[in-house]
């Protein structure tokens, strides 16, 4: 087997493994239904490009706190009121409680960039389950 054939084989194998992982993530996310968890609508594969189609969220908490893209435009950081901050924290907690208790899922990458918000910051949703893990030990609680 030539080096080129071997590299081509490894590349194909990597794409197959990646595709299986993405399908697993898609199936996991599509069954989750909670107001504080991003809803995945589908998966689109075009050649080597994979896109996950999800409900529309206008920004993430990191962009709000530190400045960044919001609604397709660059925005300066936003000063959230105490009421907005508490509401976001409660919604994140509710989403995490759902993931742990109902889905038995450990997110493993919860950070401001993975907390998505609507335009007026009234709804917070947890997203990006790329490195999440299902807790399989049913006898031992999370």
């Amino acid at each position: 087997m030539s080096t080129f054939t071997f590299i081509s084989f490894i590349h194909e194998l990597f794409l197959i493994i990646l595709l299986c992982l993405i399908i697993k993530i898609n199936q996991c996310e599509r069954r989750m239904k909670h107001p504080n968890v991003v809803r995945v609508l589908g998966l689109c594969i075009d050649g080597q490009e994979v896109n996950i189609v999800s409900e529309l969220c206008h920004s993430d908490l990191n962009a709000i706190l530190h400045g960044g893209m919001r609604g397709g435009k660059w925005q300066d950081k936003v000063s959230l009121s105490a009421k907005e901050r508490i509401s976001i924290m409660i919604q994140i907690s509710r989403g995490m409680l759902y993931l742990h208790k109902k889905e038995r899922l450990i997110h493993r990458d919860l950070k401001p960039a993975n907390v998505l918000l609507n335009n007026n910051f009234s709804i917070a949703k947890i997203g990006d389950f790329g490195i999440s893990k299902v807790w399989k030990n049913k006898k031992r609680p999370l």
Side-chain angles (χ1 to χ4, degrees):
M1 182 183 297
S2 71
T3 305
F4 178 75
T5 307
F6 180 73
I7 290 172
S8 180
F9 170 76
I10 294 296
H11 179 69
E12 292 290 324
L13 184 62
F14 173 75
L15 290 176
I16 291 168
I17 292 169
L18 179 64
L19 181 61
C20 291
L21 178 65
I22 288 168
I23 290 170
K24 178 185 168 205
I25 291 167
N26 185 48
Q27 289 172 339
C28 179
E29 287 182 342
R30 285 185 78 174
R31 79 163 187 260
M32 292 188 288
K33 293 181 181 174
H34 189 272
N36 301 115
V37 174
V38 172
R39 180 101 169 109
V40 172
L41 305 173
L43 182 70
C44 178
I45 303 169
D46 183 19
Q48 294 182 11
E49 191 172 308
V50 179
N51 297 295
I52 296 175
V53 181
S54 67
E55 65 180 301
L56 177 64
C57 296
H58 294 94
S59 187
D60 64 74
L61 188 56
N62 191 60
I64 301 302
L65 296 175
H66 304 291
M69 292 301 287
R70 218 170 59 231
K73 300 175 186 171
W74 180 265
Q75 300 286 325
D76 291 331
K77 66 182 181 178
V78 175
S79 184
L80 297 171
S81 70
K83 184 179 177 182
E84 289 171 321
R85 284 186 248 154
I86 291 169
S87 175
I88 290 168
M89 287 188 289
I90 290 170
Q91 291 179 69
I92 293 168
S93 299
R94 286 180 182 154
M96 290 303 291
L97 183 66
Y98 166 80
L99 292 173
H100 287 176
K101 297 291 181 185
K102 299 288 183 192
E103 299 294 336
R104 300 192 56 78
L105 190 93
I106 304 167
H107 190 281
R108 297 172 67 185
D109 194 25
L110 186 61
K111 59 187 178 185
N114 292 335
V115 175
L116 305 174
L117 302 165
N118 67 346
N119 262 349
N120 61 359
F121 320 129
S122 62
I123 301 173
K125 296 179 178 262
I126 300 167
D128 192 354
F129 296 88
I131 62 170
S132 62
K133 185 176 183 180
V134 175
W135 185 259
K136 293 180 182 173
N137 188 345
K138 295 189 183 212
K139 294 179 183 176
R140 190 168 161 218
L142 284 172

